[in-house]
Amino acid sequence: MPAANTSASSVAKQFHRVLLVSALIAIASLNSWAQNITVSATSETFVATYVGVTSSSKAVTITNTGASAQPVVFAWSTAFSETDNCGGSVAAGKSCVANISFTPTLVGTTSGAVSIYDNHNNLLAFVGLTGTGLAPVTVSPTSISFTSGTIGILSVAQIFNINNNTSNSIDVTNITTGVTDYQIDPGTCLGTPLAPQSSCTVTVQVTPSSATDDGAIIVWD
């Protein structure tokens, strides 16, 4: 009986070693696949683009330097998109092209990536991405001061411009202020589409109810 136990232990140890070697071979194989896939650029930076507008695309070449075809699956971060002619696989020694675009959803810098996986969700390569979103509509100036006013007396009018920075017409749907002491004359800014690369003028007055009567104006599209 002891001999039988020893024999069983020996077989178990050998089986464990075989599993360990198999695991190491599998890992080496995955690393080899990853080394076979290269990209022509590991990072891309897009020109500043207005929120909601899609940038021109940047082409990235994916090359398979291995001896066998490599399945490829793409995934990308929010605000970026990708189209390609790979057809789900890159033939041995061949290349395909991914066209990456940026459509900002926020003003400011956005970072992300397009990642390339095999059909077992193993990462093969990725391209780091950076883009900057610009406000499609701005106002100038961004603040107005009413000085030397008198409580209860309507102030002298001041103006600010609403600027359409895009190549498309926009509709300003509302101009509001949370303080009733301020009166707004929207001029032509409401009810008429604001042409591309143009501005309209809003007039503002205040009837102060206290020595300090701060407020804000919100422009909606």
Side-chain angles (χ1 to χ4, degrees), residues 43-58 79-80 100-106 108-110 129-135:
S43 65
E44 293 282 6
T45 299
F46 292 85
V47 298
T49 304
Y50 291 110
V51 170
V53 176
T54 299
S55 70
S56 57
S57 62
K58 288 184 175 289
F80 300 96
I100 305 171
S101 300
F102 173 51
T103 308
T105 58
L106 299 171
T109 300
T110 298
L129 306 172
T130 303
T132 300
L134 299 176

Side-chain angles (χ1 to χ4, degrees), residues 28-38 63-66 123-125:
S29 177
L30 291 175
N31 288 338
S32 175
W33 275 120
Q35 292 171 359
N36 290 339
I37 293 296
T38 62
T63 302
N64 177 11
T65 61
L123 181 63
L124 301 175

Side-chain angles (χ1 to χ4, degrees), residues 46 97 122 127 129 137 165 176 180 184:
F46 292 85
V97 176
N122 297 301
V127 181
L129 306 172
V137 178
N165 301 312
T176 61
T180 58
I184 301 170

